[in-house]
Amino acid sequence: MGRPIPPSWSSSWPGPSSTLYRARRPPWWHRRRIARSLPGRRPPRRRGAGSGPSRLAWLRWLLVALLVLVLLVVAGGVGLYVRAGQELQHVDALGDYAGRPAAGRGTNWLLVGSDSRAELTPEQRKELHVGNNQVRNTDTIMVLHYGDHGPSLVSLPRDSYVPVPGYGSRKINEAYADGGPRLLTRTVEQATGLRIDRYAEVSFLGLVQVVDALPDGVRLCLEQPLRDERSGADFPAGCRRMNGTQALAYVRARYADPQGDLGRVKRQRRLIGALADGMTDSRVLLDPFRLRRVLDVSVAALRVDQQAGMAQLLDMGWAMKQISGGSGTATTVPVRQPGVMVAGAGSVLLWDENGASRLFRALRHDDPIPTSVAK
């Protein structure tokens, strides 16, 4: 049925069968106005509302789109997380033995930088200035502790003269050459009185690849020029971005450093801080492709103890990020006398027994490190 014709003009308007119907039909805008005034019709739309979806509808669609985006990112991140955990390389670094220190409060990591050249080609050895020495030593040895009082990072200089079980007193880095990660862990435990809970190791090549995977490498600063022909370092004073090869030269230089091994451990801590900053950069975290590359390279570069997984690595990374941001403590074990010549060992570093004891006792009880030994 057709719509009823309003009485105001029905008497004068011919019916649909009339030939004058189309000619005298009201204009479209008048018909729309009449239709809106009929009973049962919805109220007219407010002026300015427009013909598209309302602002509230647009807001809902925007929130839905953002939610979907977040879910995709989280799902991708979880996938990367699970896959990275499956590809972690494990090594037998921890073990029970008679006289092992009791577990203390908090968590202790032993962080090791291996100077193994086995995976390097002759061209890479030349480019990285690492020579052809096949002896496996460690250029970097650090203890990372975290608990209720913030994280602490303690460098153990490679020339530290300590007892190595089964080999007498030697430089601490030789423990790795004598018995691999397990003997090095035992040596550190007996020298410090700390039980090591976790172990992580990275090689020369692994360090270079991780730095190169970051956007623009790492940012490092020097108060004085650093030039060392043996490591390849040749940097003016000031801050600069470094790629992987440059970062390795920066961290290995010691012969041109007046502080020798003590100066090198300070640069090692700065590099670790720069790596923590680079890996948490928004350009990494918000770029799924770059994040995947950084995770892949980092996992390939690491070897961890048999019980360590991605959850433990995330805890360790967060602690390192806190230290680089100034929320933790970074120091070197107190040294009583550097550069002491010992027959068969060469130039060694002797620890300050009193200062070292106070430092490691604080870590064992998860207490703040005394300011007198935090240098």
Side-chain angles (χ1 to χ4, degrees):
M1 297 180 62
R3 295 175 181 170
I5 300 175
S8 60
W9 45 270
S10 61
S11 59
S12 62
W13 189 22
S17 61
S18 171
T19 56
L20 298 177
Y21 177 77
R22 292 184 180 275
R24 298 185 60 182
R25 191 178 184 186
W28 66 268
W29 52 268
H30 191 47
R31 295 199 305 272
R32 178 177 294 180
R33 182 183 301 171
I34 294 171
R36 289 178 180 174
S37 66
L38 295 177
R41 303 294 294 179
R42 64 183 180 182
R45 185 176 298 170
R46 291 180 301 170
R47 186 180 299 275
S51 59
S54 67
R55 293 181 181 178
L56 183 59
W58 277 114
L59 180 59
R60 282 198 295 265
W61 279 110
L62 177 60
L63 291 177
V64 170
L66 289 176
L67 178 60
V68 171
L69 178 61
V70 170
L71 290 176
L72 288 175
V73 172
V74 171
V78 171
L80 292 176
Y81 176 89
V82 172
R83 187 172 61 84
Q86 295 172 342
E87 296 179 358
L88 271 177
Q89 303 175 71
H90 294 89
V91 61
D92 183 14
L94 308 174
D96 290 325
Y97 56 88
R100 189 181 186 195
R105 298 179 180 177
T107 301
N108 297 315
W109 280 81
L110 180 59
L111 307 179
V112 175
S114 167
D115 67 357
S116 173
R117 297 149 171 85
E119 58 187 348
L120 299 177
T121 65
E123 293 75 16
Q124 289 173 325
R125 294 175 186 175
K126 182 178 180 180
E127 179 184 1
L128 300 179
H129 296 267
V130 296
N132 297 311
N133 186 3
Q134 297 298 319
V135 177
R136 296 188 311 162
N137 287 327
T138 50
D139 262 20
T140 304
I141 305 173
M142 298 181 182
V143 173
L144 171 66
H145 172 89
Y146 50 84
D148 294 335
H149 291 91
S152 300
L153 184 64
V154 180
S155 297
L156 309 181
R158 56 170 283 170
D159 291 342
S160 299
Y161 195 63
V162 299
V164 177
Y167 293 88
S169 292
R170 310 182 67 174
K171 291 183 179 180
I172 194 170
N173 71 321
E174 294 183 31
Y176 188 94
D178 293 332
R182 195 159 185 169
L183 181 59
L184 177 61
T185 300
R186 182 175 179 180
T187 300
V188 171
E189 286 186 333
Q190 294 196 347
T192 64
L194 299 172
R195 178 182 284 247
I196 299 300
D197 305 295
R198 301 268 74 90
Y199 176 93
E201 173 189 324
V202 65
S203 66
F204 279 162
L205 184 59
L207 173 65
V208 172
Q209 292 173 337
V210 170
V211 173
D212 285 339
L214 299 175
D216 303 323
V218 291
R219 184 176 184 271
L220 294 165
C221 299
L222 286 164
E223 297 178 358
Q224 302 291 335
L226 180 64
R227 294 180 175 85
D228 188 324
E229 292 184 2
R230 299 185 64 171
S231 75
D234 187 8
F235 309 117
C239 299
R240 58 177 295 166
R241 309 295 304 193
M242 295 189 186
N243 60 27
T245 301
Q246 294 168 330
L248 180 62
Y250 165 89
V251 81
R252 291 188 63 241
R254 69 166 178 163
Y255 294 100
D257 191 326
Q259 293 183 297
D261 204 23
L262 295 178
R264 177 162 62 173
V265 297
K266 293 179 181 178
R267 291 194 300 278
Q268 290 169 350
R269 293 197 298 267
R270 291 177 191 145
L271 176 58
I272 289 180
L275 280 170
D277 289 338
M279 297 181 77
T280 54
D281 190 294
S282 60
R283 291 176 294 175
V284 174
L285 299 180
L286 299 181
D287 184 339
F289 300 102
R290 191 184 293 274
L291 176 60
R292 177 171 181 172
R293 170 168 168 72
V294 171
L295 278 177
D296 286 346
V297 172
S298 300
V299 168
L302 280 175
R303 294 203 306 166
V304 297
D305 65 90
Q306 294 177 330
Q307 286 74 44
M310 288 301 296
Q312 290 74 30
L313 285 176
L314 288 176
D315 288 341
M316 185 259 283
W318 173 244
M320 299 301 297
K321 176 63 176 176
Q322 288 180 288
I323 291 174
S324 68
S327 300
T329 302
T331 188
T332 303
V333 61
V335 175
R336 173 167 55 91
Q337 191 174 1
V340 176
M341 297 300 297
V342 174
S347 178
V348 301
L349 295 174
L350 301 180
W351 291 359
D352 179 345
E353 296 180 3
N354 181 47
S357 176
R358 294 171 59 198
L359 169 64
F360 297 125
R361 182 168 60 248
L363 296 183
R364 187 164 53 252
H365 295 290
D366 193 29
D367 292 331
I369 295 178
T371 56
S372 59
V373 297
K375 299 179 181 178

